[in-house]
Amino acid sequence: MNVRTTAAANTATTTGTAGAAVTAQATAGPATTGTDWEPGTTGGATPGKGARPRGRVWGWGTLAVLLTAFAIFESAKYGLPTTTAAVLFFLAPDLITRTTGTHSIAARIARNGWIPLAVMVFYAFGPIIWPPLFTAALAWETRIVIAQMLRRD
C-alpha cells in the first residue's frame, strides 16, 4: 500500500491492490483555516481605533503607583514644605495648560517628562539637598505618567 500526504489539504491518498485511489481525512486533526491563529497575526481580532494595548496601560499604571507611593513617602518623611511642593507640582501641568492653551510652549514644557526626570537624577547625584525639589519632581512626573496611562490613541 502506497501512502502520499499533502500538507496543504491535510489529506492522505492511498492506493490499494486494485489500483483504485482512496482519499481520506488525516487523523492528526482538523484542517487549519484562515480564522485560526497563525504566527504574526492577531488571530482575526483587530483592535478598534479606541483600543489600548493592555501592556502599555499596565506598565504606565505600575509606574504611576510606584511614583505616587514614593512621593507620599517623601512628603510624610519631610513634612509640610514637601507636601505643598508635591501638590502644587502635581497640579501645575493642568493649571498651565488651562491658562496658556494646549499648544503653547509653556504647556509643552509642562507635559515634557524629561524635565522632572532630569531634576530627580541631578538631585540624586548632585550637590543640592532640598527635599521639596525632589518631591515636586516626583509629583510632576507622576502627573505626566498618569496622563500617558489615560491617553487614548
Side-chain angles (χ1 to χ4, degrees), residues 15-78:
T15 308
T17 54
V22 178
T23 304
Q25 182 74 25
T27 59
T32 59
T33 63
T35 59
D36 290 343
W37 182 84
E38 297 172 4
T41 66
T42 59
T46 55
K49 183 176 177 158
R52 292 178 295 193
R54 288 185 187 154
R56 185 177 72 114
V57 173
W58 278 97
W60 285 115
T62 303
L63 183 59
V65 167
L66 291 174
L67 287 172
T68 303
F70 195 35
I72 290 171
F73 170 75
E74 289 291 321
S75 294
K77 183 178 177 182
Y78 291 108

Side-chain angles (χ1 to χ4, degrees), residues 64-111:
V65 167
L66 291 174
L67 287 172
T68 303
F70 195 35
I72 290 171
F73 170 75
E74 289 291 321
S75 294
K77 183 178 177 182
Y78 291 108
L80 188 60
T82 56
T83 304
T84 304
V87 170
L88 287 177
F89 274 80
F90 184 81
L91 298 175
D94 289 330
L95 295 174
I96 291 171
T97 302
R98 287 184 186 193
T99 57
T100 63
T102 57
H103 298 292
S104 69
I105 293 173
R108 289 183 196 159
I109 290 171
R111 291 188 311 252

Side-chain angles (χ1 to χ4, degrees), residues 104-152:
S104 69
I105 293 173
R108 289 183 196 159
I109 290 171
R111 291 188 311 252
N112 188 351
W114 291 106
I115 296 171
L117 182 64
V119 168
M120 288 187 286
V121 169
F122 181 73
Y123 183 85
F125 297 110
I128 297 175
I129 300 174
W130 191 49
L133 177 67
F134 183 73
T135 308
L138 272 173
W140 187 4
E141 189 72 30
T142 302
R143 175 61 185 94
I144 292 169
V145 167
I146 290 172
Q148 275 294 114
M149 182 185 70
L150 298 176
R151 186 186 77 192
R152 292 193 179 112

